[in-house]
Amino acid sequence: MNSTFIESESIIEKVPSYSCNGIYLLMLRFYFIFFPMYPLISKFLGTSLWKDGLYIFFILIGFNALIKNKFFIWYFGLLFLVIVFQISQGYSYLEFLTWFLMGPPIYLYFRYISVEKFKNDLRILMFIMILGFLFVFLYEIPKRDSMFFELASEKTTGGFFLRDDSVRARFGFVSPMAFSQYSWFIAVMILINRNFSKFIRIVFPSLMLISIFYCNTRAGVFLTVLTAGVFVYTKFNLHKVKLYNLLLVIAIASAVIFKNFISGQSANHNNETLSDELRMLLLLDGITKASEHYVLGVSGEFFSPRAEDWYDFENSWLSLIVCFGILGISLIILLLKNIIFNTNNKYFVFLMIPWLGYSSIFPILQEPTAVFITWVIIVASLNMDKWIALNALDQFQKK
């Protein structure tokens, strides 16, 4: 069974429309809805392996559809070279590939989803996140317990979900940061989608904004502030020049790193300044290692957070260089070229610019929820016409 068997194509209003086997599409929709918050399902299944089985299944079935896009020909070609190079160097650990395979099913989801089904999926996500909003304020914060959806492997990590003796809310996500990031992401997704009424596009993001400020983590707050800044940026139509978008991402990343450096030097240490100091030490370690291993890399084993001694530089771009050398640099060029230079759509940059700026201090390719958000942005850049149709932005700029 492959994509040529499950797929058919038609053209509707100049946007290619693809259909597939109904069960396959239902599985893709389930993946899109629950993968970012996989502990929510894993709590009841007793394992998180279901998500690994799904993305492998989707890629095997949909591989022919994936390689119809030039981006994926390059992407899988580079992954093949990575595998060959790792094996030729005597490295047998290939689990790191899972972090590269989690994202492509998102492309298949957007390839086959219709406008109405996409709207329904967003309705389901809004319902789940409103339940999460209530769960946080009626249970996690009063009970000072954010471990309700913990897995067996997390039994000793309860202290991680406290900061200054205050709970760090996470609902059904792997961490408070993931909850905060996704709250920002889904808020922006609803805000820009013109299929919803103005009332919903104001009220729901407002609820998510409240959640963000009570997550007791700075990720969502930072992303929200950046999104507000990008809104001002677009008012001057600066987003229409793609080079300006790249320069803004670089400026944000530089400012964020500098801010963390200054905070880490504070004489009055608290949890946040200590976190900033550690982040800067990890970044500096990554820069040093990247300057030493940018040709051959050290091994893909150190890219995967599941490995015992993985390299956490708080920056996936550095991890790609250190672990895979020139091939890692090639992957970075491929990803950033498509994300930044494929489109300058006004509503797309609300997601793209804040997220890439944030990637300077968070490993967006090495944490499941972050991988999901990254790939939604990649997929949108690969098929902007479909993205515009799904969000009813047809009357606005396309390119």
Side-chain angles (χ1 to χ4, degrees):
M1 183 178 181
N2 55 44
S3 62
T4 58
F5 175 77
I6 64 172
E7 179 178 277
S8 62
E9 176 182 356
S10 60
I11 305 295
I12 301 176
E13 297 181 354
K14 298 181 180 180
V15 178
S17 177
Y18 301 93
S19 60
C20 67
N21 179 279
I23 296 176
Y24 187 71
L25 180 58
L26 281 174
M27 294 174 68
L28 283 170
R29 294 175 69 185
F30 179 87
Y31 187 81
F32 177 80
I33 293 169
F34 289 107
F35 175 77
M37 54 188 88
Y38 72 88
L40 198 65
I41 300 298
S42 301
K43 168 74 173 181
F44 301 103
L45 295 181
T47 177
S48 62
L49 293 178
W50 63 270
K51 60 181 175 54
D52 300 280
L54 278 182
Y55 60 71
I56 292 171
F57 171 76
F58 291 140
I59 290 177
L60 290 175
I61 298 299
F63 187 75
N64 286 348
L66 288 168
I67 60 173
K68 289 178 182 178
N69 186 291
K70 184 169 66 174
F71 168 83
F72 284 105
I73 295 176
W74 282 101
Y75 184 74
F76 286 119
L78 285 171
L79 288 187
F80 175 75
L81 291 177
V82 165
I83 294 171
V84 171
F85 198 64
Q86 292 288 301
I87 293 175
S88 67
Q89 289 182 290
Y91 303 133
S92 59
Y93 186 92
L94 297 178
E95 192 277 337
F96 67 85
L97 287 171
T98 61
W99 298 92
F100 294 104
L101 300 179
M102 291 177 183
I106 304 302
Y107 174 83
L108 296 172
Y109 168 84
F110 279 102
R111 182 179 180 88
Y112 299 127
I113 199 70
S114 66
V115 173
E116 188 57 36
K117 286 184 172 63
F118 182 62
K119 184 178 179 180
N120 288 337
D121 290 349
L122 290 182
R123 285 176 176 147
I124 294 171
L125 285 170
M126 282 193 286
F127 176 73
I128 293 172
M129 292 303 288
I130 290 172
L131 289 181
F133 176 86
L134 296 173
F135 185 80
V136 165
F137 286 96
L138 297 180
Y139 178 80
E140 290 194 4
I141 292 177
K143 296 289 186 179
R144 301 181 73 252
D145 175 21
S146 60
M147 299 301 291
F148 182 83
F149 292 101
E150 66 180 344
L151 302 176
S153 59
E154 296 177 335
K155 291 294 185 182
T156 60
T157 63
F160 172 74
F161 298 101
L162 293 175
R163 172 173 283 171
D164 294 329
D165 204 36
S166 297
V167 71
R168 305 181 71 198
R170 68 161 183 161
F171 179 42
F173 290 81
V174 71
S175 71
M177 286 180 292
F179 179 41
S180 183
Q181 292 160 7
Y182 192 80
S183 295
W184 163 80
F185 167 78
I186 195 63
V188 175
M189 290 286 285
I190 299 302
L191 186 64
I192 66 175
N193 192 306
R194 298 303 174 114
N195 284 312
F196 294 102
S197 68
K198 189 174 183 180
F199 175 79
I200 291 176
R201 290 189 293 112
I202 292 175
V203 172
F204 178 77
S206 298
L207 291 177
M208 293 302 96
L209 189 62
I210 295 171
S211 291
I212 285 169
F213 278 92
Y214 278 89
C215 284
N216 205 2
T217 178
R218 292 170 290 171
V221 176
F222 171 66
L223 288 164
T224 301
V225 170
L226 286 182
T227 304
V230 171
F231 175 76
V232 175
Y233 171 76
T234 60
K235 285 297 182 181
F236 294 95
N237 291 321
L238 296 173
H239 65 284
K240 292 183 178 180
V241 181
K242 296 173 184 177
L243 180 60
Y244 289 172
N245 296 336
L246 172 62
L247 293 176
L248 181 58
V249 168
I250 294 173
I252 291 172
S254 301
V256 169
I257 292 173
F258 181 73
K259 184 267 178 189
N260 275 263
F261 175 77
I262 296 299
S263 176
Q265 300 303 307
S266 173
N268 300 316
H269 279 310
N270 55 35
N271 280 344
E272 288 189 359
T273 57
L274 286 172
S275 175
D276 292 339
E277 182 179 20
L278 175 60
R279 184 176 288 113
M280 288 309 304
L281 290 173
L282 290 170
L283 280 171
L284 290 172
D285 183 42
I287 292 170
T288 300
K289 284 186 169 63
S291 66
E292 296 171 349
H293 303 288
Y294 64 89
V295 178
L296 299 179
V298 294
S299 170
E301 176 179 355
F302 300 103
F303 186 82
S304 175
R306 295 173 180 171
E308 185 175 350
D309 298 316
W310 75 291
Y311 284 156
D312 177 13
F313 302 129
E314 297 286 345
N315 185 305
S316 290
W317 312 116
L318 286 174
S319 295
L320 283 171
I321 297 171
V322 173
C323 295
F324 305 111
I326 290 176
L327 291 176
I329 294 172
S330 300
L331 280 167
I332 292 172
I333 293 172
L334 176 68
L335 294 173
L336 294 183
K337 172 183 174 295
N338 283 276
I339 293 174
I340 297 175
F341 292 106
N342 268 6
T343 181
N344 57 8
N345 179 271
K346 176 181 179 179
Y347 299 93
F348 173 73
V349 299
F350 287 157
L351 286 169
M352 183 269 286
I353 291 177
W355 191 246
L356 288 186
Y358 179 64
S359 72
S360 64
I361 58 166
F362 187 83
I364 64 169
L365 297 173
Q366 295 163 290
E367 192 277 336
T369 303
V371 170
F372 173 86
I373 296 172
T374 301
W375 273 91
V376 169
I377 293 171
I378 292 171
V379 169
S381 73
L382 293 176
N383 194 346
M384 187 51 54
D385 288 335
K386 181 67 176 284
W387 170 262
I388 289 170
L390 290 174
N391 290 285
L393 300 172
D394 308 72
Q395 65 271 42
F396 302 97
Q397 75 173 104
K398 291 190 177 184
K399 297 285 185 175

